[in-house]
Amino acid sequence: PHLESCDRMHTVCPMRCGAEFEKRFQQKHRDEDCPKRQVICQFCELSMLAETESEHLDACPKFPVPCPNKCSKKEVTRETLQEHLDSDCLQQSQPCPFANYGCAHTGKKQELPAHLKENQITHMELLCVAVKRSEEARNEKERLAAELTKKLAGIERRIACLEKLYGPQLVWRIDSYQERLAEAKSGKKTTLFSPPFLTHRYGYKLILSTCLYGDGQGRGEYMSVFLSICKSENDPLLIWPFGHRVTIWLLDQCEDVKARRHISYSLKPNTCKENRPFLGRPIGERNASFGAVKFVRLETLNTLDYIKDDSMFLKVQVDCEALVSL
Ligand SMILES: [Zn+2]
Ligand SMILES: [Zn+2]
Ligand SMILES: [Zn+2]
Ligand SMILES: [Zn+2]
Ligand SMILES: [Zn+2]
């Protein structure tokens, strides 16, 4: 029938682009007009739908672009433009290679050889100044480092010194324990005295004493420990009455340091008026002593390593935080 072959009959695009045309134009539409036809980018040879071509051309890396410096080079594309400007565009302005050393010149690449030639001496001078400056900076750094090292060594010495000063003020070893205990028990010699010691440099002079078989109410059951303040040439400079926290330890001599179970007694002297005979500035050689009558039970002394090789250690630490420094 005529209708099937009539080329004036209207038809729609088989690519579904939405166009409607007389059948005789179908080939032209398919090859030239249809937005859904395949086209190939003439620059990068990528295949795409015709309707996306103009968008592609705006981004195509092979698309030719003019050099913004209007130089004579023609083969610059979007993707090679930056490289062209950076390396071979003779019209591109760039700073002098001596810019870091202070040359303010900026000029076209082709003018650079002339600039370098004309300014050899200036450039040399700039270099000299820069080298001298960096040498000075290095010397200054070395000087500072040496100074710091020296200071640090001094600080380390002082810390070591302070650690000794502020470590325990007394570690007192009592030898021949059994013999001395027997003497205390018999009443021949009930009290032992430590050598006098200072709470800190130019500080209070103290003495530790112990009754190995106990004193007063503790006798026969406890070992007692006492402190007493001795008269010293520093006394006029110190604050009275004595009010610093004192801790007395019986040290466990167990070889395994972590397993040691020291026994301690700590007291913060009460500086009330009634305690003046103990804590006030000494009038005689030595104040009345204060401490713990029931410091440790006698049977406890036979446990662990409180007594080893017939010796015991007592330690005293005075809290010096509140001390005034002279
Ligand atoms: Zn017809
Ligand atoms: Zn179409
Ligand atoms: Zn392309
Ligand atoms: Zn250029
Ligand atoms: Zn220069």
Short mmCIF file of all heavy atoms in Angstrom, two decimals, residues 60-84:
data_model
loop_
_atom_site.label_atom_id
_atom_site.label_comp_id
_atom_site.label_asym_id
_atom_site.label_seq_id
_atom_site.Cartn_x
_atom_site.Cartn_y
_atom_site.Cartn_z
N CYS A 60 37.70 19.44 27.22
CA CYS A 60 38.60 18.51 26.52
C CYS A 60 40.06 18.91 26.73
O CYS A 60 40.46 20.03 26.44
CB CYS A 60 38.27 18.50 25.02
SG CYS A 60 39.42 17.46 24.09
N PRO A 61 40.89 17.99 27.27
CA PRO A 61 42.29 18.32 27.56
C PRO A 61 43.11 18.62 26.29
O PRO A 61 44.12 19.31 26.37
CB PRO A 61 42.81 17.08 28.28
CG PRO A 61 41.87 15.97 27.94
CD PRO A 61 40.54 16.61 27.69
N LYS A 62 42.65 18.09 25.16
CA LYS A 62 43.42 18.30 23.92
C LYS A 62 42.94 19.52 23.14
O LYS A 62 43.40 19.78 22.03
CB LYS A 62 43.29 17.07 23.01
CG LYS A 62 43.67 15.76 23.67
CD LYS A 62 45.16 15.52 23.65
CE LYS A 62 45.48 14.08 24.04
NZ LYS A 62 46.69 14.01 24.87
N PHE A 63 41.98 20.24 23.70
CA PHE A 63 41.42 21.40 23.01
C PHE A 63 42.48 22.49 22.90
O PHE A 63 43.13 22.83 23.88
CB PHE A 63 40.21 21.90 23.80
CG PHE A 63 39.37 22.90 23.05
CD1 PHE A 63 38.41 22.48 22.13
CD2 PHE A 63 39.53 24.27 23.26
CE1 PHE A 63 37.62 23.40 21.44
CE2 PHE A 63 38.76 25.19 22.57
CZ PHE A 63 37.80 24.75 21.65
N PRO A 64 42.68 23.04 21.70
CA PRO A 64 43.72 24.07 21.56
C PRO A 64 43.29 25.38 22.23
O PRO A 64 42.14 25.79 22.11
CB PRO A 64 43.85 24.26 20.05
CG PRO A 64 42.70 23.56 19.43
CD PRO A 64 41.99 22.73 20.44
N VAL A 65 44.21 25.96 22.98
CA VAL A 65 43.92 27.24 23.62
C VAL A 65 45.02 28.22 23.24
O VAL A 65 46.16 27.83 23.02
CB VAL A 65 43.84 27.11 25.16
CG1 VAL A 65 42.62 26.32 25.59
CG2 VAL A 65 45.11 26.47 25.72
N PRO A 66 44.69 29.50 23.16
CA PRO A 66 45.74 30.48 22.84
C PRO A 66 46.60 30.75 24.07
O PRO A 66 46.11 30.70 25.19
CB PRO A 66 44.93 31.73 22.45
CG PRO A 66 43.64 31.59 23.19
CD PRO A 66 43.37 30.12 23.34
N CYS A 67 47.88 30.98 23.87
CA CYS A 67 48.76 31.33 24.99
C CYS A 67 48.34 32.70 25.51
O CYS A 67 48.19 33.64 24.74
CB CYS A 67 50.21 31.37 24.54
SG CYS A 67 51.30 32.07 25.78
N PRO A 68 48.10 32.84 26.82
CA PRO A 68 47.67 34.14 27.35
C PRO A 68 48.74 35.22 27.16
O PRO A 68 48.42 36.41 27.21
CB PRO A 68 47.42 33.85 28.83
CG PRO A 68 48.11 32.57 29.13
CD PRO A 68 48.18 31.80 27.85
N ASN A 69 49.99 34.81 26.95
CA ASN A 69 51.05 35.80 26.71
C ASN A 69 51.15 36.17 25.23
O ASN A 69 52.03 36.93 24.84
CB ASN A 69 52.40 35.26 27.19
CG ASN A 69 52.41 35.04 28.68
OD1 ASN A 69 51.75 35.76 29.42
ND2 ASN A 69 53.14 34.02 29.14
N LYS A 70 50.25 35.57 24.41
CA LYS A 70 50.24 35.83 22.97
C LYS A 70 51.59 35.56 22.33
O LYS A 70 52.06 36.31 21.47
CB LYS A 70 49.80 37.28 22.68
CG LYS A 70 48.42 37.58 23.24
CD LYS A 70 48.02 39.02 22.93
CE LYS A 70 46.61 39.32 23.40
NZ LYS A 70 46.47 39.28 24.87
N CYS A 71 52.25 34.49 22.77
CA CYS A 71 53.53 34.15 22.16
C CYS A 71 53.27 33.44 20.83
O CYS A 71 52.14 33.14 20.48
CB CYS A 71 54.37 33.28 23.08
SG CYS A 71 53.81 31.58 23.19
N SER A 72 54.33 33.12 20.13
CA SER A 72 54.16 32.59 18.78
C SER A 72 53.81 31.11 18.77
O SER A 72 53.36 30.59 17.76
CB SER A 72 55.44 32.84 17.98
OG SER A 72 56.52 32.26 18.68
N LYS A 73 53.98 30.42 19.86
CA LYS A 73 53.75 28.98 19.86
C LYS A 73 52.27 28.67 19.65
O LYS A 73 51.41 29.24 20.31
CB LYS A 73 54.24 28.37 21.17
CG LYS A 73 54.14 26.86 21.17
CD LYS A 73 55.19 26.20 22.03
CE LYS A 73 54.97 24.69 21.95
NZ LYS A 73 55.89 23.95 22.78
N LYS A 74 52.00 27.74 18.71
CA LYS A 74 50.61 27.49 18.34
C LYS A 74 50.06 26.18 18.91
O LYS A 74 48.86 26.01 19.04
CB LYS A 74 50.47 27.46 16.80
CG LYS A 74 50.64 28.83 16.18
CD LYS A 74 49.51 29.79 16.59
CE LYS A 74 49.86 31.23 16.22
NZ LYS A 74 49.68 32.17 17.33
N GLU A 75 50.90 25.21 19.19
CA GLU A 75 50.40 23.88 19.55
C GLU A 75 50.09 23.74 21.05
O GLU A 75 50.28 22.69 21.63
CB GLU A 75 51.40 22.77 19.16
CG GLU A 75 51.87 22.80 17.73
CD GLU A 75 53.06 23.74 17.55
OE1 GLU A 75 54.02 23.63 18.32
OE2 GLU A 75 53.00 24.61 16.65
N VAL A 76 49.60 24.80 21.65
CA VAL A 76 49.30 24.70 23.08
C VAL A 76 47.87 24.21 23.27
O VAL A 76 46.95 24.72 22.65
CB VAL A 76 49.48 26.06 23.77
CG1 VAL A 76 49.28 25.92 25.27
CG2 VAL A 76 50.85 26.63 23.46
N THR A 77 47.71 23.18 24.08
CA THR A 77 46.36 22.67 24.38
C THR A 77 46.06 22.97 25.84
O THR A 77 46.94 23.36 26.61
CB THR A 77 46.28 21.15 24.16
OG1 THR A 77 47.13 20.52 25.10
CG2 THR A 77 46.68 20.77 22.74
N ARG A 78 44.79 22.70 26.19
CA ARG A 78 44.38 22.98 27.57
C ARG A 78 45.30 22.26 28.57
O ARG A 78 45.69 22.82 29.57
CB ARG A 78 42.93 22.53 27.75
CG ARG A 78 42.27 23.01 29.01
CD ARG A 78 40.78 22.70 29.01
NE ARG A 78 39.99 23.73 28.34
CZ ARG A 78 39.08 23.49 27.40
NH1 ARG A 78 38.84 22.25 27.02
NH2 ARG A 78 38.41 24.47 26.85
N GLU A 79 45.68 21.00 28.25
CA GLU A 79 46.46 20.24 29.22
C GLU A 79 47.94 20.60 29.22
O GLU A 79 48.65 20.30 30.17
CB GLU A 79 46.28 18.73 29.01
CG GLU A 79 46.93 18.21 27.74
CD GLU A 79 46.75 16.70 27.57
OE1 GLU A 79 46.26 16.05 28.51
OE2 GLU A 79 47.11 16.19 26.50
N THR A 80 48.43 21.25 28.16
CA THR A 80 49.86 21.56 28.14
C THR A 80 50.12 23.04 28.44
O THR A 80 51.28 23.46 28.47
CB THR A 80 50.50 21.22 26.78
OG1 THR A 80 49.84 21.98 25.76
CG2 THR A 80 50.39 19.74 26.46
N LEU A 81 49.05 23.81 28.67
CA LEU A 81 49.23 25.26 28.84
C LEU A 81 50.14 25.59 30.02
O LEU A 81 51.09 26.36 29.90
CB LEU A 81 47.86 25.94 29.01
CG LEU A 81 47.94 27.45 29.25
CD1 LEU A 81 48.61 28.16 28.08
CD2 LEU A 81 46.55 28.04 29.51
N GLN A 82 49.86 24.96 31.18
CA GLN A 82 50.64 25.30 32.37
C GLN A 82 52.11 24.97 32.16
O GLN A 82 52.99 25.76 32.49
CB GLN A 82 50.09 24.56 33.60
CG GLN A 82 50.60 25.12 34.93
CD GLN A 82 50.31 26.61 35.07
OE1 GLN A 82 49.17 27.05 34.90
NE2 GLN A 82 51.33 27.41 35.33
N GLU A 83 52.34 23.80 31.57
CA GLU A 83 53.72 23.38 31.30
C GLU A 83 54.39 24.39 30.36
O GLU A 83 55.55 24.76 30.55
CB GLU A 83 53.68 21.99 30.67
CG GLU A 83 54.99 21.25 30.71
CD GLU A 83 54.94 19.98 29.86
OE1 GLU A 83 53.84 19.38 29.77
OE2 GLU A 83 55.98 19.63 29.29
N HIS A 84 53.64 24.82 29.34
CA HIS A 84 54.16 25.80 28.39
C HIS A 84 54.55 27.09 29.12
O HIS A 84 55.65 27.61 28.93
CB HIS A 84 53.10 26.09 27.32
CG HIS A 84 53.38 27.33 26.52
ND1 HIS A 84 54.43 27.40 25.62
CD2 HIS A 84 52.77 28.55 26.50
CE1 HIS A 84 54.44 28.62 25.08
NE2 HIS A 84 53.45 29.33 25.60
#
